[in-house]
Amino acid sequence: MFRSATPQRGMTDRTLAWLFIGPTIALLLAFNLFPLIWTIILSFTNYRANRPSAAISGVGLENYSRLMNDEAVWGYLQSTAHFVVGSIVLQVALGFALALLINKKFRGHSFWTTAILMPIMLSPAVVGTFWTYFFQPQYGIFNYIIKFFFGAENFTMLGDVTLAPWAIILVDTWMWTPYVMLLLLAGLRSIPPYIYEAAEIDRASGLTLFFRITLPMVMPFLVLAVLFRLIENFKMFDLVNQLTNGGPGSATELASINLKRQAFEMWRTGYSSAFAILLFVSIYGLSNIVVRYLEKVKQR
């Protein structure tokens, strides 16, 4: 006579899942949520990081009030907005053109695709250093190019108040256009070929194919590229810091550059925390608008 096998109890799938996910969630909360909460708390105080033993007192909304009434802060935000809009427009336009080109098979396709992607493989600090030497007025290659084509002597890109903002836009475009190209190339490759075949049977022109098929179907990927670059460029720091450090004067002093000065040069920790929260809210608000537009595009 055999005994009936008793069922063995073990961890459920839900328990096992939480066992693996739990440590990751704890780390994310520790490294993301806690600094955010601590920054919010500091933004309501007069705390200075270089005076850790000094008494800390709450100042209420004084830091935020000073930020909102400071014309210099609005100037930094305006410079940031110019940089964000200029770089995104160029990156989307050039990225879309490169994606359309790479989407067509031609001789040396793999080689040119890899060559185009090289800038995004580099560190922003390396890119900033490279372009700093490239723009040098005495021995920079860019100066020789301008002299050869336009005959300009002692041309300086980073030292000119008008041209310096365009210099950082140019460098950022050179580095991140391949990233936009990859996203848009994925969108182009997702379009079924039979749609183009049906349109060609109806004798649709090239412009009709682009505006009626290509652009509408790639639009979700295009909006996604704008979202990613909007977030990254709004908090851009390392590349601009390496190229101009906010100069000449304050021509390229983006909000992130000034935030660094307030926090680690003037040691106004409470004030800079309020500035960081202001930037966070701005990025969150703009991103939310783009995400809502992305949802509308997907529902078409």
Side-chain angles (χ1 to χ4, degrees), residues 9 18 37 58 68 77 110 134 151 161 187 226 228 240 259 292:
R9 290 188 177 182
W18 275 107
I37 295 175
M68 301 303 292
L77 291 175
S110 300
F134 190 79
V161 176
V226 171
F228 289 158
V240 180
L259 177 59
R292 289 187 178 183

Side-chain angles (χ1 to χ4, degrees), residues 69-181:
N69 294 316
D70 192 345
E71 294 183 2
V73 171
W74 291 104
Y76 302 141
L77 291 175
Q78 186 177 10
S79 299
T80 305
H82 288 166
F83 168 70
V84 170
V85 173
S87 58
I88 288 179
V89 169
L90 286 176
Q91 289 170 27
V92 169
L94 294 176
F96 206 166
L98 289 174
L100 290 172
L101 178 64
I102 296 299
N103 193 44
K104 297 180 180 180
K105 300 294 182 179
F106 55 89
R107 182 175 295 179
H109 171 271
S110 300
F111 169 78
W112 288 111
T113 302
T114 305
I116 292 173
L117 293 177
M118 284 183 64
I120 61 175
M121 303 177 189
L122 302 174
S123 167
V126 174
V127 172
T129 303
F130 166 75
W131 279 88
T132 300
Y133 286 106
F134 190 79
F135 282 135
Q136 279 293 329
Q138 287 81 19
Y139 50 82
I141 301 176
F142 187 81
N143 195 43
Y144 284 105
I145 295 174
I146 295 298
K147 182 179 179 180
F148 179 79
F149 285 100
F150 302 101
E153 296 286 345
N154 298 324
F155 182 83
T156 173
M157 192 78 173
L158 299 180
D160 189 275
V161 176
T162 304
L163 297 178
W166 289 104
I168 63 175
I169 290 175
L170 175 64
V171 176
D172 188 74
T173 300
W174 176 82
M175 183 174 183
W176 292 109
T177 293
Y179 176 77
V180 177
M181 182 202 73

Side-chain angles (χ1 to χ4, degrees), residues 126-294:
V126 174
V127 172
T129 303
F130 166 75
W131 279 88
T132 300
Y133 286 106
F134 190 79
F135 282 135
Q136 279 293 329
Q138 287 81 19
Y139 50 82
I141 301 176
F142 187 81
N143 195 43
Y144 284 105
I145 295 174
I146 295 298
K147 182 179 179 180
F148 179 79
F149 285 100
F150 302 101
E153 296 286 345
N154 298 324
F155 182 83
T156 173
M157 192 78 173
L158 299 180
D160 189 275
V161 176
T162 304
L163 297 178
W166 289 104
I168 63 175
I169 290 175
L170 175 64
V171 176
D172 188 74
T173 300
W174 176 82
M175 183 174 183
W176 292 109
T177 293
Y179 176 77
V180 177
M181 182 202 73
L182 278 181
L183 290 176
L184 299 182
L185 184 60
L188 291 173
R189 296 283 172 85
S190 67
I191 302 176
Y194 67 83
I195 298 180
Y196 288 109
E197 295 172 358
E200 289 174 355
I201 292 175
D202 293 335
R203 297 181 179 180
S205 64
L207 289 176
T208 302
L209 291 175
F210 178 79
F211 287 104
R212 294 296 182 88
I213 299 177
T214 304
L215 188 59
M217 300 196 74
V218 177
M219 185 59 69
F221 295 86
L222 193 149
V223 177
L224 197 62
V226 171
L227 174 63
F228 289 158
R229 295 310 306 149
L230 172 69
I231 295 173
E232 289 297 322
N233 283 8
F234 206 95
K235 57 188 181 70
M236 174 64 66
F237 172 78
D238 44 7
L239 185 64
V240 180
N241 185 64
Q242 191 70 28
L243 275 171
T244 62
N245 195 25
S250 60
T252 60
E253 185 151 343
L254 306 183
S256 58
I257 300 293
N258 184 256
L259 177 59
K260 186 263 295 186
R261 297 192 195 281
Q262 297 291 339
F264 302 109
E265 293 179 12
M266 302 180 184
W267 297 103
R268 303 168 68 186
T269 310
Y271 180 84
S272 61
S273 297
F275 199 178
I277 296 301
L278 176 64
L279 293 180
F280 172 77
V281 172
S282 302
I283 296 172
Y284 179 81
L286 292 173
S287 301
N288 194 31
I289 294 174
V290 178
V291 169
R292 289 187 178 183
Y293 181 73
L294 178 62

Side-chain angles (χ1 to χ4, degrees), residues 30-87:
F31 288 101
N32 291 314
L33 188 60
F34 173 74
L36 177 61
I37 295 175
W38 184 241
T39 303
I40 295 174
I41 294 173
L42 290 179
S43 68
F44 296 103
T45 67
N46 64 345
Y47 177 69
R48 289 178 176 266
N50 63 333
R51 300 176 185 174
S53 59
I56 303 174
S57 60
V59 295
L61 297 175
E62 182 181 339
N63 289 327
Y64 292 96
S65 177
R66 292 169 63 185
L67 275 171
M68 301 303 292
N69 294 316
D70 192 345
E71 294 183 2
V73 171
W74 291 104
Y76 302 141
L77 291 175
Q78 186 177 10
S79 299
T80 305
H82 288 166
F83 168 70
V84 170
V85 173
S87 58

Side-chain angles (χ1 to χ4, degrees), residues 17-32:
W18 275 107
L19 184 63
F20 283 102
I21 298 174
T24 303
I25 295 178
L27 287 174
L28 288 176
L29 292 176
F31 288 101
N32 291 314

